[in-house]
Amino acid sequence: MKENVDIIRLNSINQPELDIYARYRENELYHIYEPELGLFIAESPKVIERALDAGYEPVSVLVEDKHIETQGKEIIKRCESVPVYTASFDVLTKITGFNLTRGMLCAMRRRPLKTAEEICKDAKRIAVLDDIENPTNVGAIFRSAAALNVDGIILNGACSDPLYRRSLRVSMGTVFQVPWTICDNDDVIETLKKNGFVTVAMALKEDSVSISDKRIKQAENLAIVLGNESEGLSDSAIRACDYTVMIPMSHGVDSLNVAAASAVAFWEMCNFY
């Protein structure tokens, strides 16, 4: 380990250095520096590494002491300009969820979001997430998007934050690999159309076209719109799209979880364009 790394050993969960890891809720971290951008917590060496590769700035690192010279070693070298806090397993397991992190957490600064137009630029396949509230679903959709050739993701303001810890963990850090933004206005679909995208609503409508329809698969630019876990897409969102697609199912199953549906849709409509 480099001598200039500032490693600070902690003996109690009550020490103030652990506040952002143990006592701040994610929404509080989001607003911690207002009006400046806030923080998020990345878990596990893989997720932290992908965040660093994407240019996110670390604020501090929290690592189980036994991992300083093992799985955390290379990450700590890359974070040598910030404090590295370390403690025993017994201390760290008192932090909710820490035993799920593979021994390492990193507080990082958020970055300004791109505009929807910037996400559209140079993209061929985009996913639009409308009111998807479960962070596990958001993380799983990002992982499928990264694996299956989605070039960008646009979320509305009602979606769970992709930088929440559970989203990051489920995504395996692919949130840092797929360009994305949050767009609070109601004209995302209109913006996509103005940028040359054919828009497809994923919805349970009998008048849908086939998921393998050539008009969709051969579209130069395509946006796939996915809706809320319980309510799906609103009628107005469906009407605004060029096509509606419903995944064919058997055995009386009427729908898939939105994350599972996204993987099917991305495979069919994005993987071979």
Side-chain angles (χ1 to χ4, degrees):
M1 187 67 59
K2 293 184 179 181
E3 293 182 0
N4 59 341
V5 175
D6 186 14
I7 296 180
I8 303 166
R9 181 168 179 79
L10 304 176
N11 298 309
S12 168
I13 192 174
N14 296 318
Q15 290 179 246
E17 294 90 343
L18 286 178
D19 282 349
I20 59 175
Y21 296 104
R23 284 171 283 282
Y24 278 81
R25 291 174 296 182
E26 290 185 295
N27 191 53
E28 292 174 317
L29 289 174
Y30 188 101
H31 296 286
I32 192 170
Y33 296 135
E34 279 191 334
E36 301 298 324
L37 295 172
L39 302 176
F40 66 92
I41 305 296
E43 299 183 0
S44 85
K46 173 62 71 177
V47 173
I48 296 168
E49 181 181 36
R50 286 179 169 169
L52 293 171
D53 288 346
Y56 283 85
E57 176 188 352
V59 172
S60 66
V61 176
L62 177 61
V63 59
E64 187 181 345
D65 46 17
K66 73 177 184 179
H67 294 312
I68 291 175
E69 293 293 341
T70 56
Q71 64 182 18
K73 184 174 182 178
E74 295 305 313
I75 298 295
I76 292 172
K77 286 180 181 179
R78 297 182 65 178
C79 298
E80 62 181 8
S81 61
V82 303
V84 176
Y85 302 116
T86 181
S88 68
F89 177 80
D90 289 342
V91 170
L92 296 180
T93 49
K94 295 176 183 177
I95 300 175
T96 302
F98 190 84
N99 58 335
L100 301 177
T101 66
R102 296 179 62 200
M104 196 169 199
L105 298 172
C106 183
M108 311 190 92
R109 292 188 182 273
R110 290 175 177 268
R111 299 194 313 193
L113 294 175
K114 297 177 181 290
T115 65
E117 287 78 8
E118 288 173 322
I119 297 296
C120 290
K121 185 180 179 182
D122 300 325
K124 297 296 184 183
R125 294 294 186 268
I126 285 178
V128 179
L129 310 191
D130 188 352
D131 293 5
I132 297 180
E133 300 171 345
N134 187 310
T136 297
N137 285 333
V138 171
I141 290 170
F142 266 88
R143 190 170 181 179
S144 294
L148 299 171
N149 289 331
V150 175
D151 302 311
I153 296 178
I154 299 174
L155 307 93
N156 73 351
C159 286
S160 179
D161 186 347
L163 295 183
Y164 279 176
R165 284 172 60 176
R166 183 169 295 190
S167 292
L168 287 176
R169 183 168 64 239
V170 172
S171 81
M172 290 296 293
T174 54
V175 164
F176 304 117
Q177 297 177 309
V178 180
W180 60 274
T181 194
I182 298 172
C183 191
D184 285 318
N185 61 45
D186 295 325
D187 18 321
V188 174
I189 293 174
E190 190 60 35
T191 298
L192 288 161
K193 289 184 176 182
K194 287 180 180 177
N195 283 272
F197 281 81
V198 173
T199 53
V200 173
M202 300 297 297
L204 302 175
K205 296 290 185 181
E206 293 301 332
D207 57 349
S208 302
V209 301
S210 169
I211 195 171
S212 58
D213 190 293
K214 289 184 178 180
R215 293 170 295 177
I216 294 173
K217 298 189 73 168
Q218 294 176 0
E220 183 176 357
N221 300 318
L222 186 70
I224 301 167
V225 187
L226 298 150
N228 177 265
E229 291 90 342
S230 299
E231 304 299 325
L233 288 172
S234 67
D235 289 339
S236 60
I238 294 170
R239 286 194 301 269
C241 289
D242 298 307
Y243 299 99
T244 303
V245 162
M246 181 172 67
I247 297 171
M249 283 169 274
S250 61
H251 294 98
V253 177
D254 61 357
S255 66
L256 295 173
N257 165 274
V258 67
S262 74
V264 174
F266 298 160
W267 169 260
E268 187 68 32
M269 292 186 271
C270 304
N271 209 30
F272 298 107
Y273 70 85

